[in-house]
Amino acid sequence: MPDPDSRDPSEAVLFDADHLSRQTFGDAALAAELLGLFADQCRRLLPGIVDPDLAPAARADLAHTLKGSALGIGAVRVARISAAMEDGLRTGGTAAPAETLTVAVAETLATLTRPL
């Protein structure tokens, strides 16, 4: 199992179902609704985040939004990679590779389509 405190965001835990359960007070219907909203947001935000033709500040804003959404449901890896991308884009430093975020989102969404 990946180290949850790893410095490499791509090695973070993929999804924390216990976090989602705490956030929704164990309400399965609410959890399902939040996961659906998260999936929609991933599909809407990811293209802009990984678009090298979009201004870095705009990409950073999109990454920030995805980070917050991911943190809310327990999508730890997506949150950490989004945070690394946001930081890199805002500072002009090295952002996490777009492919790393794309893979993390795909893996997370695949996990969320299975019963938790």
Side-chain angles (χ1 to χ4, degrees):
M1 178 169 197
D3 176 2
D5 294 321
S6 173
R7 293 197 184 275
D8 181 353
S10 66
E11 294 298 318
V13 173
L14 188 63
F15 180 72
D16 183 349
D18 290 335
H19 176 80
L20 178 63
S21 182
R22 287 189 305 274
Q23 291 294 94
T24 60
F25 303 100
D27 184 329
L30 179 57
E33 182 178 348
L34 290 177
L35 292 175
L37 291 170
F38 174 73
D40 290 344
Q41 196 164 42
C42 285
R43 290 182 192 104
R44 194 178 77 247
L45 297 174
L46 187 61
I49 295 170
V50 302
D51 182 354
D53 294 328
L54 194 59
R59 293 174 63 204
D61 289 346
L62 295 171
H64 178 81
T65 301
L66 184 58
K67 174 184 71 176
S69 181
L71 286 171
I73 64 145
V76 179
R77 191 175 304 166
V78 170
R80 289 194 182 169
I81 295 169
S82 296
M85 288 196 76
E86 177 188 6
D87 290 346
L89 290 163
R90 290 205 193 283
T91 63
T94 304
E99 183 178 330
T100 304
L101 181 59
T102 301
V103 169
V105 166
E107 289 176 351
T108 301
L109 294 180
T111 298
L112 299 181
T113 60
R114 290 183 243 134
L116 299 176

